[in-house]
């Protein structure tokens, strides 16, 4: 079987969708012998695979050049004075899906070069790749592996255009893989895809941390906690977390924020204390070394119930104690933390942490310091989050839809 896997970012970028695509591609290739070709945006120096990879230029991403935390006037000034940013700015503003055409042209060109593709797997955030696949109509069955719901995504605000796009993709694709929180929403009738197209899959992120990386040079008389990931002012506001650790500044507890952008971190400058360290964005290997060095990992739940940070599974794989700060009673992180051997979940309060919460977190950090759960135990508890399990699910669906196609005598897309 030959698979074309399309994603937003290629490794070594390790955001949510690129890590999923990377692990699925490698496992399908190594475990099931699937011939894989990958297509995606190249944001950093390329990573070597044992299969063909086509990298697209990231020239469309003007947002990476302008810090998001700047006031509007400063951001506008930087846009207007940047030598190459302003054309991309207008492209984004005037066209809803600036990458759709780029993906569509690249897919068409790749299929001419490799005419024996049996199946296409689109691992993406909404919605450039699915829109390209829907409008392309290449005839090859394709699977939509969605990180988030589309028409109910908080960024889309359930607008009419997003609903129409989702409905078109539902009709076009052969199968839809979604995470558990999204699956429950779709099965309740929000999604237009028939139930036999829908499949629930976890994030396939349960892998051991890389070995051989140098650990952090920290004062070991203190308890070190870390939030690894980007800070968001809307869906994952860190204000409660920052207030909580500011209240713990006299307890020998340090919070490391790893992965924030300087412009974003400036937004919460007034909430920072001397025990909160902002490390900025770092390479994946360095972030993994920090995760290995910390005593406690800190997770921030989302403000919506149908999206969960994929880093939850990364944290579980690390085997470290997890302090889970969640924002709503139906937060999807709770079903994972309930099974974790060393986790504490704390419901955020709009008024900030009270003395009881501060004391509870202080005791948790002191008691769980140095605790580590072996990876094998985590893999047993969270078996459905391993790349082997999720790739197995995807492989079985690929076999089914390609068999259905060949049984019908469909040769569309073969060039």
């Amino acid at each position: 079987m030959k698979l074309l896997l399309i994603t937003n970012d290629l490794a070594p970028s390790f955001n949510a969708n690129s890590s999923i695509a990377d692990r699925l591609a490698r496992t399908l290739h190594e475990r099931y012998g699937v011939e894989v070709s990958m297509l995606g945006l190249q944001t950093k120096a390329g990573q070597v695979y044992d299969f063909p990879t086509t990298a697209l230029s990231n020239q469309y991403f003007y947002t990476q050049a302008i810090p998001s935390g700047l006031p509007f006037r400063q951001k506008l000034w930087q846009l207007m004075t940047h030598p190459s940013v302003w054309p991309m700015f207008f492209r984004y503003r005037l066209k809803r899906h600036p990458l759709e055409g780029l993906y569509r042209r690249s897919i068409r060109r790749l299929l001419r070069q490799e005419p024996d593709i049996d199946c296409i797997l689109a691992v993406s955030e909404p919605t450039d790749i699915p829109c390209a696949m829907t409008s392309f109509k290449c005839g090859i069955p394709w699977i939509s592996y969605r990180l988030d719901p589309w028409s109910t995504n908080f960024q889309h605000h359930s607008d009419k255009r997003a609903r129409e796009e989702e409905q078109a993709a539902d009709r076009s694709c052969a199968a839809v893989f979604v995470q558990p929180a999204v699956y429950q929403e779709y099965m309740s009738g929000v999604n237009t895809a028939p139930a036999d197209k829908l499949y629930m899959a976890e994030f396939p992120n349960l892998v051991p941390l890389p070995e051989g990386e140098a650990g952090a040079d920290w004062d070991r008389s203190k308890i070190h906690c870390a939030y690894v990931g980007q800070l968001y002012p809307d869906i994952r506001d860190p204000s409660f977390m920052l207030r909580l650790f500011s209240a713990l500044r006299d307890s020998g507890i340090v919070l490391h924020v790893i992965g924030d952008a300087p412009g974003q971190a400036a937004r919460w400058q007034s909430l920072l204390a001397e025990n909160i360290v902002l490390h900025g964005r770092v390479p994946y290997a360095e972030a993994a070394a920090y995760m290995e060095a910390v005593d406690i990992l800190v997770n921030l739940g989302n403000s919506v119930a149908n999206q969960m940070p994929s880093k939850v599974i990364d944290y579980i794989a690390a085997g470290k104690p997890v302090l889970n700060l969640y924002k709503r009673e139906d937060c999807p992180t709770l079903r994972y933390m309930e099974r974790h051997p060393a986790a504490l979940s704390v419901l955020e309060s709009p008024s900030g942490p009270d003395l009881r919460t501060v004391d509870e977190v202080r005791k948790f950090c002191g008691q769980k310091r140095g605790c580590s759960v072996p990876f094998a135990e985590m893999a047993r508890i969270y078996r459905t989050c391993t790349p082997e399990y999720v790739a197995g699910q995807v492989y079985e669906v690929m076999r089914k839809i390609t068999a259905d196609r060949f049984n019908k005598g469909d040769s569309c897309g073969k060039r």
Side-chain angles (χ1 to χ4, degrees), residues 18-95:
S18 65
S19 64
I20 290 171
D22 178 84
R23 284 154 184 166
L24 286 178
R26 291 180 185 278
T27 309
L28 287 169
H29 179 67
E30 295 168 3
R31 192 179 183 91
Y32 297 98
V34 175
E35 294 182 61
V36 178
S37 293
M38 284 189 74
L39 172 67
L41 293 166
Q42 191 72 72
T43 58
K44 299 179 181 179
Q47 184 165 324
V48 178
Y49 286 95
D50 295 329
F51 38 81
T53 302
T54 303
L56 305 179
S57 168
N58 68 332
Q59 60 178 322
Y60 286 76
F61 288 100
Y62 81 93
T63 52
Q64 295 182 356
I66 306 298
S68 62
L70 292 178
F72 174 77
R73 290 185 179 180
Q74 292 184 31
K75 185 182 295 186
L76 182 62
W77 173 252
Q78 289 207 23
L79 282 170
M80 298 306 294
T81 56
H82 196 285
S84 60
V85 163
W86 67 267
M88 291 181 278
F89 172 79
F90 288 111
R91 184 185 291 129
Y92 261 74
R93 287 297 177 264
L94 297 175
K95 188 174 181 181

Side-chain angles (χ1 to χ4, degrees), residues 51-170:
F51 38 81
T53 302
T54 303
L56 305 179
S57 168
N58 68 332
Q59 60 178 322
Y60 286 76
F61 288 100
Y62 81 93
T63 52
Q64 295 182 356
I66 306 298
S68 62
L70 292 178
F72 174 77
R73 290 185 179 180
Q74 292 184 31
K75 185 182 295 186
L76 182 62
W77 173 252
Q78 289 207 23
L79 282 170
M80 298 306 294
T81 56
H82 196 285
S84 60
V85 163
W86 67 267
M88 291 181 278
F89 172 79
F90 288 111
R91 184 185 291 129
Y92 261 74
R93 287 297 177 264
L94 297 175
K95 188 174 181 181
R96 181 178 176 87
H97 298 296
L99 291 173
E100 178 189 344
L102 176 63
Y103 274 112
R104 191 167 61 246
R105 291 192 301 272
S106 302
I107 296 167
R108 183 181 290 113
R109 184 168 57 250
L110 198 150
L111 291 180
R112 284 199 296 265
Q113 298 170 354
E114 302 184 43
D116 53 346
I117 297 292
D118 298 306
C119 183
I120 298 174
L121 176 62
V123 180
S124 77
E125 305 163 6
T127 55
D128 292 316
I129 300 172
C131 285
M133 288 302 307
T134 301
S135 60
F136 183 32
K137 298 182 175 62
C138 65
I140 300 174
W142 69 283
I143 298 170
S144 178
Y145 195 114
R146 304 177 185 175
L147 274 69
D148 304 322
W150 289 6
S151 59
T152 58
N153 183 288
F154 81 102
Q155 293 176 324
H156 289 190
H157 304 294
S158 300
D159 63 272
K160 181 181 178 182
R161 179 73 175 273
R163 290 196 298 271
E164 291 173 350
E165 289 168 352
E166 184 166 11
Q167 291 168 6
D170 291 342

Side-chain angles (χ1 to χ4, degrees), residues 320-335:
K320 297 299 181 74
V322 177
L323 172 61
N324 181 45
L325 306 176
Y326 65 103
K327 293 176 168 55
R328 48 189 302 145
E329 296 284 359
D330 56 352
C331 181
T333 62
L334 296 176
R335 61 188 294 268

Side-chain angles (χ1 to χ4, degrees), residues 5 32 114 163 179 199 277 295 344-345 396-397 408:
L5 194 154
Y32 297 98
E114 302 184 43
R163 290 196 298 271
Q179 61 168 292
Y199 297 89
V277 184
D295 299 300
L344 172 66
S345 292
E396 288 304 315
V397 172
K408 294 175 183 177

